[in-house]
Amino acid sequence: MKGSYGILVQVVLLFGIFPSLAQVEKQYDSTARNHAALISTDRVKLLNDIDVLANMQFNQYNRFANGNYSESNFAMNQFRLEIKGKVSDKVYFRFRDRYTRLPDPQSRDVISRSVDLAFIRVDASPKWNFQFGKMCADWGGYEFDQNPVEIFEYNDLIENSDNFLTGMQAQYVSSPKHAYTFQVLNSRTKTFAELYGSIPGVDESKFPAAFVGNWRGNFGKGKFTTLWSYSVFLEAKRKTMNYLALGNQLNLKKLTIVYDFKWSAQDIDRTGIVTSIVPDSFNPYAALDVRYVEHWLELRYRLADKWSFQVVGMMSNAYWFGNQQVEGNSHLRTSLGINPTVEYYPFEKVNLRFFATYVQRVYDYTPYATQQFGAADFNTSRISFGFVSPLLIL
């Protein structure tokens, strides 16, 4: 009886389930064929004014430290999804999120640190436009102006900076050859305590703001262009950071020469390199009165339609003028870098390139830093290959 009862239950369930499955299948077909499209025809036209890009840099890394092989791995070094476009003739937007950074909301601007850009632009006239939101600090220099996926190694200042800040921007385009930008931004994404801790005699500013002025120039029909800026950051009461960046680019037939000079005077060590050199036993707080002076040179040569070669050289010097214990030994470190790269463009209509690159960094400490702080010279290098693409999806 138990067996017959079990068979009866299975038969009832079988005849009960099959009609249900048929009904589900019918509903699915009905929805696919008869319901309205998710995006109506009149709104499809809006997509013509929107771009969606996947900014990617994929690497196969082989790393070395002081000349000795250390490790290899695959990595999606950069993946930044970008959406930009216009919603009217005078209103534009841009959003870019980095998926290779932790999405931690920041205490100052209350937006995820992984978000590079989230702003709108309003064109008030043919010569004036305004931006509001999180944007690039318009620091000048071509190293920072490039798409991040095209950079394999940054020099020290940009590598250790908050490059995307929240605030407002006004731009005046005086002519097709010259544009001037002024920004008022948060000077940082974190609070003073989160960034510096406590420093005796230093009080936090009530409005830690950054003021950035930028000039873009164009001469000789684009043969020589400039990207200069000067910035003042209010880090604390009577404590500022001044930053000068002078970017210069010479465009020849197949050769492009780019040179950036950068100088940063920091009442409090925002970059953090000097602070990392000085041990806590000598100075347990963020270093005061530091300087960074940098040079960045890039040569790009188009070998053929589908091949190009570029080499980047960089130098950064770190100084500690606020050393109260020993005077006359402000220079602590020089870092050097070399980065040759070969790129191959297989497709004419797709911005996709494959590359092979070599990066070497040498960190040379002065005798004073070595003897007083125990700093030791070292070098790193890596060989990698992969692909780069600001891939236009839509």
Side-chain angles (χ1 to χ4, degrees), residues 8 20 45 67 74 114 120 131 161 167 192 235 246 283 304 333 336 338 342 344:
L8 179 62
S20 299
K45 297 178 181 178
F74 292 102
S114 67
I120 63 168
Q131 288 184 185
S161 299
F192 182 90
E235 286 299 287
L246 304 176
N283 179 56
R333 190 187 84 172
L336 302 168
I338 187 74
V342 175
Y344 173 61

Side-chain angles (χ1 to χ4, degrees), residues 368-386:
Y368 171 74
T370 300
Q371 296 167 11
Q372 189 69 41
F373 305 138
D377 298 345
F378 69 99
N379 65 79
T380 65
S381 59
R382 67 178 185 267
I383 300 171
S384 65
F385 59 88

Side-chain angles (χ1 to χ4, degrees), residues 302-314:
R302 194 75 178 209
L303 298 171
D305 291 341
K306 294 186 176 183
W307 291 90
S308 71
F309 172 76
Q310 67 182 46
V311 60
V312 173
M314 62 189 78

Side-chain angles (χ1 to χ4, degrees), residues 72-86:
S72 297
N73 67 290
F74 292 102
M76 182 62 77
N77 188 45
Q78 297 273 353
F79 183 81
R80 305 181 191 227
L81 185 64
E82 182 172 350
I83 305 172
K84 61 181 180 179
K86 67 176 184 178

Side-chain angles (χ1 to χ4, degrees), residues 38-240:
L38 183 61
I39 302 176
S40 60
T41 304
D42 60 330
R43 292 194 174 265
V44 169
K45 297 178 181 178
L46 295 175
L47 298 179
N48 294 328
D49 296 322
I50 296 176
D51 290 334
V52 179
L53 298 99
N55 295 284
M56 296 178 287
Q57 185 194 108
F58 169 80
N59 284 264
Q60 193 284 317
Y61 284 119
N62 304 280
R63 294 184 173 86
F64 302 82
N66 293 320
N68 298 314
Y69 170 72
S70 57
E71 64 171 349
S72 297
N73 67 290
F74 292 102
M76 182 62 77
N77 188 45
Q78 297 273 353
F79 183 81
R80 305 181 191 227
L81 185 64
E82 182 172 350
I83 305 172
K84 61 181 180 179
K86 67 176 184 178
V87 294
S88 75
D89 291 338
K90 295 184 179 296
V91 179
Y92 299 79
F93 73 92
R94 189 175 179 187
F95 172 80
R96 188 172 76 194
D97 193 14
R98 182 175 178 178
Y99 288 83
T100 51
R101 172 173 284 177
L102 291 175
D104 297 327
Q106 299 297 283
S107 53
R108 289 299 301 176
D109 53 18
V110 201
I111 191 171
S112 171
R113 183 165 170 74
S114 67
V115 175
D116 291 341
L117 308 168
F119 66 81
I120 63 168
R121 191 188 89 201
V122 178
D123 289 353
S125 71
K127 291 184 178 293
W128 283 97
N129 66 76
F130 301 89
Q131 288 184 185
F132 307 89
K134 189 173 184 181
M135 62 193 76
C136 294
D138 205 2
W139 281 352
Y142 287 94
E143 178 189 16
F144 179 57
D145 194 56
Q146 294 187 42
N147 189 324
V149 301
E150 298 176 351
I151 297 290
F152 300 105
E153 183 79 3
Y154 280 110
N155 213 351
D156 291 344
L157 275 174
I158 294 179
E159 179 64 29
N160 295 279
S161 299
D162 275 334
N163 299 313
F164 304 98
L165 300 169
T166 302
M168 302 183 299
Q169 171 184 300
Q171 184 178 63
Y172 174 65
V173 183
S174 62
S175 71
K177 294 184 177 181
H178 300 282
Y180 305 89
T181 302
F182 179 72
Q183 295 177 321
V184 181
L185 309 165
N186 289 334
S187 67
R188 53 181 180 267
T189 60
K190 298 180 179 180
T191 65
F192 182 90
E194 289 173 318
L195 195 59
Y196 298 114
S198 62
I199 305 175
V202 177
D203 297 321
E204 184 174 359
S205 172
K206 292 183 179 179
F207 181 26
F211 303 91
V212 183
N214 182 293
W215 166 55
R216 285 174 168 80
N218 188 316
F219 303 90
K221 297 181 180 180
K223 288 186 177 181
F224 179 69
T225 59
T226 59
L227 189 46
W228 294 7
S229 74
Y230 192 85
S231 310
V232 178
F233 288 67
L234 306 179
E235 286 299 287
K237 291 183 178 179
R238 297 178 296 280
K239 299 294 182 182
T240 62

Side-chain angles (χ1 to χ4, degrees), residues 56 344-347 349-354 387-391:
M56 296 178 287
Y344 173 61
Y345 301 76
F347 309 107
K349 297 182 179 181
V350 179
N351 191 357
L352 171 66
R353 72 197 77 164
F354 294 91
F387 75 84
V388 165
S389 180
L391 193 65

